[in-house]
Each structure stands twice: as structure tokens, then as C-alpha cells.
Amino acid sequence: MPAYYKQIYIIGRGHTPLACALHLLELGAQPVLLEDVKEHPFASITPKRPTALQHAPLSTLDALRKTRDRTLVLSVNNIRLFKKETLANENVDIFNYHNALLPYHRGVNAEAWSIFHEDPLTGVTWHKVDAGIDTGRIAAQKEIPLDDEITSIQLLKRQSQAALQVFKDIVPAILENRIELTPQPAIPVNSIHYACESPNNGVLNPDWPAHRIWAFLRAMDYGKLTPLGIPRIGIDGQWLTWNRYCRNAPQSTEAHTLHLKGGITLHDCKEIAP
């Protein structure tokens, strides 16, 4: 393990933090995976931890407030904020993976907001954590072009692959404390997305233009998962949801089907509580 950091911790859920940890093992480091027991919408897809990887409870972070050991923390798909005392400890360096091109779409569920806003481009960012929310100096970024077919769950998978690729490129410099960091550029509007938010509060507006409706449907689409809640539409005093959607398909006469602008169809619609 490189001499600069005496201890390395990784916090997060899913395949990406685990893949980062395994790569560190290959480099001769001894990372410790911190188990986050807080309920998380993607907990069901978190892979099993290999026996070669050390682990510790999340409460280990509390001790970092006063540690005198040089410590590296990698925050990967992590929804928790770090305590100000930990951030103020000069012996602790924290790097975070964010699934957007900062400074755009700070906060959570950035993949959905990139799609809903119909951004032509998104990507991934590794940055050093400071006292703000996703405001730290940038270590590296990688762009990902967006088309009008990609869904949130598909984009997450692409971003995870890109994040790991970028991590492998920059981790030697991080471990040797020679990584070059760049301040985030200033932009006119620098919004933050919180966990309690979803595009248009999860409501599809049938009066939107077709491209906006299509963007909403793709932004809310996480396959079988519903981290943004169940999307709905209000029609004739009823609230409906759907199991699948498509566009430019032949007109369907089957029951429980709703036709919207631009050849967009909602299938298997059912009434839900307001």
C-alpha cells in the first residue's frame, strides 16, 4: 500500500464501490468497505462482498473526526453527508463520485434530472469533498452523450462503467497525493436536487409537448425500482399509473391503454390513490 495514506475507506452501495475496492486490492492497497445499513432504493442490487475485502461498520466514520492518521475516504454511490468535524480534519481526504458533469445537477438522482431537462450531454465527476454539496474541486470528468431513448436505469449503468474507468486512471495519483484538482466553473444557475424531489413531483402533464412527455417517462424509468416514487397522471378526475410505455407503435385498442401526444402510449394503466 502506498505510504501516504495509512488507511483507506470506501462507503457506498452497488457494484461501483465494490469494483473500486477490488481495483485497490489489485494495486496492493488494503481498503475497508464501510457497511451502510441505511435503507437505500438500490440496496437490492448490491453485490455480495468478497471475503478478501475488509469491512467495518459505518460508525467507523465517527472516529475520523479526530484521527491523526493520513486517511483516504472514497464516497461512491453514497447518499450520506459527512460531518463538518471530519471535513475539517486535515488528515482526512474525501473523494466523491458524482453521476453528472459538475457543477450541473448537484445532489441526488442526477441521472433522472439530466434526462428530464433533455440535456444533450452528461457524464461523471470525481471530486474532492468540501463543506458544500458537490461543490468540491474536480479531479476528473468524463462526458457521456445522451439520446432521446436512454432511461434513468440505463444511464446509471453507463455512468457506473465510466466512473470505474476514470477511477482507474486517477487512483495512482490520488494514492500518492499528487492529484491535480480544478475549481468548479461558475454557472448562472446551480441547482441542487434533493432526495425528496422528483421531476414535476412525479406527475406527467398530458398538456406538455410530446418531447417533454417522453423525457419525463424516461427520467422516471428505473425498471422495477422506484427511487423517485411511482409516476402518475391525472385524467378525468382520476390518478393513473402504468406498467410500460412506448411511442410510434400501432394504435392499440386494448383496455387500460392511454394514448398521448406524439404517438406515446401508456400501457396497463390502473387507478391509484391521489
Side-chain angles (χ1 to χ4, degrees):
M1 171 177 161
Y4 187 76
Y5 290 110
K6 187 173 181 179
Q7 50 194 7
I8 301 175
Y9 296 106
I10 300 179
I11 176 174
R13 288 221 178 244
H15 290 269
T16 310
L18 181 57
C20 291
L22 293 177
H23 183 66
L24 286 169
L25 285 175
E26 293 175 356
L27 295 178
Q30 294 295 323
V32 177
L33 186 65
L34 299 181
E35 305 284 6
D36 185 358
V37 297
K38 182 177 180 180
E39 187 62 29
H40 189 278
F42 298 105
S44 62
I45 60 174
T46 300
K48 292 183 178 180
R49 169 179 40 81
T51 56
L53 184 61
Q54 300 180 50
H55 65 101
L58 189 64
S59 58
T60 304
L61 285 177
D62 294 335
L64 299 185
R65 292 177 294 177
K66 298 181 179 180
T67 185
R68 295 183 179 181
D69 295 328
R70 291 301 307 177
T71 302
L72 172 66
V73 179
L74 298 172
S75 170
V76 190
N77 292 342
N78 166 45
I79 60 175
R80 293 177 179 269
L81 298 178
F82 295 94
K83 295 181 179 179
K84 61 181 181 180
E85 294 87 355
T86 302
L87 294 171
N89 188 338
E90 295 182 351
N91 294 314
V92 179
D93 293 328
I94 306 174
F95 285 85
N96 179 63
Y97 155 51
H98 183 73
N99 56 331
L101 293 175
L102 292 175
Y104 298 98
H105 300 303
R106 295 162 55 204
V108 299
N109 303 317
E111 69 288 336
W113 293 104
S114 294
I115 293 174
F116 182 63
H117 288 180
E118 301 180 79
D119 296 343
L121 192 71
T122 186
V124 299
T125 302
W126 283 92
H127 67 99
K128 192 171 183 180
V129 176
D130 61 13
I133 299 178
D134 296 325
T135 56
R137 291 174 295 163
I138 294 172
Q141 292 183 310
K142 183 177 178 62
E143 296 179 348
I144 299 176
L146 292 179
D147 57 36
D148 65 351
E149 293 293 335
I150 196 167
T151 65
S152 284
I153 190 64
Q154 292 169 344
L155 179 54
L156 273 177
K157 292 178 181 178
R158 288 191 193 177
Q159 289 173 319
S160 294
Q161 294 171 351
L164 180 58
Q165 177 184 344
V166 174
F167 176 75
K168 290 180 178 180
D169 291 339
I170 65 174
V171 71
I174 291 177
L175 293 177
E176 296 172 10
N177 192 35
R178 55 178 177 83
I179 188 72
E180 295 184 5
L181 302 173
T182 304
Q184 294 187 26
I187 58 175
V189 178
N190 196 354
S191 60
I192 302 176
H193 307 298
Y194 296 98
C196 61
E197 298 175 326
S198 61
N200 202 44
N201 295 318
V203 177
L204 192 162
N205 186 343
D207 294 327
W208 281 337
H211 67 89
R212 193 69 169 158
I213 293 174
W214 189 241
F216 173 89
L217 291 169
R218 294 182 293 112
M220 297 293 292
D221 186 354
Y222 286 83
K224 295 181 179 180
L225 304 173
T226 55
L228 299 179
I230 299 175
R232 60 199 186 279
I233 185 172
I235 299 291
D236 298 330
Q238 292 182 319
W239 286 103
L240 305 174
T241 189
W242 54 91
N243 285 330
R244 58 190 178 91
Y245 60 93
C246 66
R247 68 174 177 175
N248 301 327
Q251 280 285 85
S252 173
T253 58
E254 63 186 38
H256 310 298
T257 297
L258 185 61
H259 298 287
L260 303 175
K261 294 178 181 178
I264 299 173
T265 305
L266 306 180
H267 294 275
D268 304 324
C269 297
K270 61 179 180 181
E271 187 176 358
I272 59 173

